[in-house]
Amino acid sequence: MKTKNTKKIVISIIAIVLALLIVGGCVALYFLAVSIYDGSFNYRCTSEEEISFDVSEFPGLTRERHTFTSNKGQTLVGYLYEKEDVEKKAVIVFAHGLGAGGQRGYMDMFDVFTSNGYYVFAYDATANDESEGDVVGGLPQGFIDLDHAIDYAYTIDEIKDMPFVLMGYSWGGMSVVNALNYHPEVEALVSFAGWNKSMNLIDYEGCQMVGGVAKLLLPFASIYEYQMYGSYSFSTGMKGFAKSDCDVMIVHGVEDETIPIEYGYETYYKKYGDDPRFVFKKIENRGHLVLTEEDGSLDLELMADVVAFLNKSLAQ
């Protein structure tokens, strides 16, 4: 009898020890994931002068400053760009990339689109350039800010009754496809070098840093992201496409090593490759800087393709 009781006690002790080890391991992995996540996004971004433009560089291009609030009451700064002597057909709400500041680096694009009859409403996301915020915080902040930017743009008298189009690069490219979950009514969307969901980039960069071990951290990073952003953390571009019937153009560089093509373009192509409302443009011999030629100048042929896509979408 003592032997049986002793065995039960030993088994119970082993079970408790194993449970403690598992719980302790999970806690350790959670805090490691939190540390890596915060280390990736807890900073401000300021545009570097050498890659930024001034509106005076583009004859006829004007911009009007606007402010609006985002999810935590932080004030964001946006600009409505236009060419006054050009008849307007729609509004492009533009979301910028991460790490190089706000929207100042894209004015050469805005000049092209405004010259072709579009307003462009572009803004600095949280903790970028003129907008408030101590740190970016995480990738969902991008489409949260975009959600609020669209809501605000609908209140601007000059543009509120016009068709709306979403466009974004990199982080902004991820943001615009996710924003369809909250604004399925937009007429069209263009995503440059974007991806499907927040965790895609966490997964890829984690594997680049620590290999397969990153897969163990991903669930804990997802939990932490949910704690910060709630239901926004469940958003994906694929869910957005299912909610909207807008026309979509996806552009990605084949040699992109910042966010490989399979996390966005190829994911979308598997489901929507034969869908007539989708246009897929894969650019050979180009990486994440998909907007520019090898010499750093704006790819005007690509811009012409985008304008043609938007014009066709709005004409339907």
Side-chain angles (χ1 to χ4, degrees):
M1 188 67 88
K2 287 183 179 180
T3 302
K4 289 183 179 179
N5 287 338
T6 301
K7 286 182 179 179
K8 288 181 179 179
I9 292 171
V10 171
I11 291 172
S12 297
I13 292 172
I14 291 173
I16 291 170
V17 170
L18 288 174
L20 289 173
L21 287 173
I22 292 171
V23 171
C26 288
V27 170
L29 287 173
Y30 171 79
F31 282 107
L32 178 58
V34 168
S35 177
I36 293 173
Y37 194 103
D38 284 347
S40 299
F41 303 112
N42 279 2
Y43 56 85
R44 276 193 62 87
C45 300
T46 302
S47 292
E48 299 176 9
E49 291 300 322
E50 58 268 27
I51 60 171
S52 299
F53 297 102
D54 186 272
V55 70
S56 63
E57 298 178 50
F58 305 98
L61 182 65
T62 64
R63 66 177 190 169
E64 178 182 78
R65 193 176 190 270
H66 290 262
T67 60
F68 59 97
T69 57
S70 193
N71 58 316
K72 295 181 180 179
Q74 70 273 33
T75 298
L76 305 187
V77 175
Y79 289 90
L80 182 62
Y81 292 83
E82 67 167 310
K83 289 284 181 74
E84 294 182 351
D85 57 345
V86 177
E87 184 177 352
K88 313 301 191 300
K89 64 187 78 169
V91 181
I92 296 170
V93 181
F94 182 84
H96 63 77
L98 177 65
Q103 39 75 44
R104 290 179 58 199
Y106 303 88
M107 277 190 228
D108 51 351
M109 291 176 61
F110 304 163
D111 184 62
V112 171
F113 296 125
T114 55
S115 296
N116 282 277
Y118 292 88
Y119 285 103
V120 176
F121 183 67
Y123 60 94
D124 300 332
T126 296
N128 281 261
D129 278 359
E130 296 182 57
S131 291
E132 291 182 346
D134 294 328
V135 297
V136 172
L139 293 173
Q141 191 64 53
F143 48 87
I144 292 172
D145 289 343
L146 177 56
D147 182 15
H148 286 77
I150 297 167
D151 285 342
Y152 174 76
Y154 282 139
T155 71
I156 301 175
D157 287 339
E158 301 99 301
I159 63 175
K160 63 183 181 181
D161 296 322
M162 303 193 76
F164 271 55
V165 172
L166 303 184
M167 185 181 297
Y169 167 70
S170 188
W171 183 34
M174 185 271 294
S175 296
V176 293
V177 297
N178 278 268
L180 288 181
N181 289 287
Y182 318 105
H183 290 281
E185 75 281 356
V186 299
E187 298 290 332
L189 177 151
V190 182
S191 175
F192 300 103
W195 58 96
N196 181 43
K197 59 184 178 180
S198 170
M199 282 297 122
N200 288 149
L201 185 63
I202 306 298
D203 179 29
Y204 175 67
E205 290 194 344
C207 288
Q208 294 295 107
M209 290 188 291
V210 297
V213 176
K215 300 292 185 184
L216 296 174
L217 298 176
L218 204 59
F220 299 100
S222 297
I223 292 170
Y224 181 55
E225 189 170 83
Y226 173 74
Q227 291 172 329
M228 290 193 292
Y229 297 110
S231 61
Y232 278 107
S233 65
F234 298 131
S235 179
T236 72
M238 290 294 283
K239 290 178 182 177
F241 295 146
K243 290 182 179 180
S244 176
D245 61 0
C246 75
D247 289 341
V248 176
M249 184 176 191
I250 303 295
V251 181
H252 214 112
V254 174
E255 298 179 5
D256 193 336
E257 295 182 355
T258 299
I259 182 70
I261 195 169
E262 59 262 30
Y263 288 98
Y265 182 106
E266 291 183 358
T267 297
Y268 309 146
Y269 191 84
K270 287 177 183 177
K271 183 173 178 62
Y272 294 106
D274 296 323
D275 191 319
R277 72 185 178 98
F278 279 74
V279 172
F280 290 91
K281 187 172 183 63
K282 186 163 53 174
I283 302 182
E284 301 289 342
N285 302 315
R286 193 170 294 180
H288 196 62
L289 300 178
V290 73
L291 299 173
T292 57
E293 303 280 8
E294 190 174 344
D295 63 0
S297 62
L298 184 65
D299 186 340
L300 295 178
E301 183 177 341
L302 173 59
M303 294 301 104
D305 288 345
V306 173
V307 169
F309 163 77
L310 294 178
N311 289 344
K312 181 179 178 181
S313 296
L314 292 168
Q316 293 177 357

